[in-house]
Every structure is written in structure tokens, then in C-alpha cells.
Amino acid sequence: MNRRLLLVLLFSVSTAVLFLFLIVQFPGESGSFGLKLMGLRIKQGNNTFSALHRKLLHGTTMKEPNRLPGEKCTKADIVINQGATRPLPTGIPTYTVEIMNICVTGCDISGIHLNCGWFSSARLINPKTFRRLRYNDCLVNDGKPLINGGTVSFQYANTFLYPLFVSRVICS
């Protein structure tokens, strides 16, 4: 019985600590926890990068990116979120990356390339999921289509977070 009580207490305390961490990391626009989890801000040096996440429906519609007539998709239809996760046993920080296809016209998107600098990882990443081809050019999903609403995710380990931005896509 004492073991069960200890586990429940440990779970409750860890949940409270996680919640407080999230409140500190993602303060809402009016100082509350609120919907700030929908966006992710990353501070690196003097630069702050932000990656918008899918928004909950609150009586507003999703704004469609500017498209040329007849254009099925744009690179704005790919959203990248990344955040810190538990470090490796060696102490190297790790980050989880989610790459999502949020195309409002229902399109599948292939040939997703990201600006990624000299991306490298101390943790092995499946090259069919994500790989650096050359400086500032990384390929997602082995170039294959990411279905509408689909997500590709991976973790990497490095001493700092790499800013990742979509450079080009192919509408399938």
C-alpha cells in the first residue's frame, strides 16, 4: 500500500512540476497559460524564432496563404515545430521536431527541403525521415509525399537548437 501511495504522490508532484515548467516557458499573451502552447518561441542568442502550431477553432477560420491562380500548395502549407526534450545520458540536449502538412486545399506535398545550416546530431536519425544533403539543404521524408494532415517527427541531439525553415516543396 505504501508503494502505491508513493507512486501516486510521485506522479502528482511530477505533473505539477511539468505544469509549472510549461507556465514559465509559455506564458500567455495576458500572462496566463492559455493558448500560448499553440505557438513555440525559441530564443537563441539575440534572435527569437517562432513556429506556429495548428490553432484550435475559436470561431475563426484558418487563413489561407497567398496563392497564385491554379497553385495547389505553397511552402507555407508545411509547419515546423520543435522543442527541447530530455537530454541524452551524456548530457547532450535533445530536441523533437514535428513537420506537418496543413494544406487547406487537401494536397499532398513532396520534395520538402528545409534550410538547416550545418545540421548534425549526436543521435542517429533515420535518413528516410530526415537528412542533410549539403549545407543549408535538408530533405524530409526521403522526398516522398507527406499526406494532407500528415506529420513526420524525429529527435536530434546537439548542444544547440537548429532553426529549420521550409525552402521549397513540390505539390503532388
Side-chain angles (χ1 to χ4, degrees):
M1 184 65 178
N2 285 339
R3 182 179 269 172
R4 185 178 291 171
L5 180 63
L6 182 62
L7 285 173
V8 169
L9 182 62
L10 183 62
F11 177 77
S12 300
V13 169
S14 63
T15 302
V17 169
L18 176 63
F19 184 73
L20 290 173
F21 171 77
L22 290 173
I23 289 173
V24 170
Q25 289 294 69
F26 302 103
E29 293 160 8
S30 60
S32 65
F33 183 56
L35 295 175
K36 194 60 176 178
L37 282 178
M38 296 301 133
L40 176 64
R41 291 199 178 285
I42 301 156
K43 187 150 182 145
Q44 184 178 15
N46 294 331
N47 299 324
T48 300
F49 304 97
S50 70
L52 298 176
H53 196 328
R54 295 181 189 183
K55 294 185 179 181
L56 295 175
L57 299 175
H58 291 306
T60 60
T61 58
M62 180 183 284
K63 183 181 177 192
E64 188 173 338
N66 292 333
R67 298 184 194 281
L68 296 174
E71 191 175 44
K72 288 175 27 180
C73 69
T74 69
K75 63 184 185 178
D77 290 318
I78 298 295
V79 174
I80 303 169
N81 289 314
Q82 64 174 315
T85 50
R86 175 178 286 182
L88 294 177
T90 59
I92 300 172
T94 64
Y95 304 93
T96 297
V97 179
E98 285 185 335
I99 302 168
M100 298 173 281
N101 175 352
I102 60 165
C103 182
V104 296
T105 61
C107 56
D108 295 343
I109 301 176
S110 61
I112 303 169
H113 288 259
L114 306 182
N115 290 335
C116 57
W118 286 113
F119 182 90
S120 65
S121 176
R123 168 178 275 170
L124 184 63
I125 301 170
N126 183 344
K128 291 183 177 184
T129 302
F130 184 83
R131 71 176 178 270
R132 182 170 56 87
L133 303 174
R134 62 189 64 80
Y135 171 74
N136 218 21
D137 186 15
C138 290
L139 183 63
V140 176
N141 202 29
D142 209 20
K144 295 178 181 156
L146 182 57
I147 62 168
N148 184 22
T151 301
V152 171
S153 64
F154 63 92
Q155 286 188 335
Y156 68 93
N158 203 310
T159 54
F160 60 90
L161 181 141
Y162 282 95
L164 302 172
F165 303 99
V166 179
S167 60
R168 65 186 186 271
V169 298
I170 299 171
C171 295
S172 302

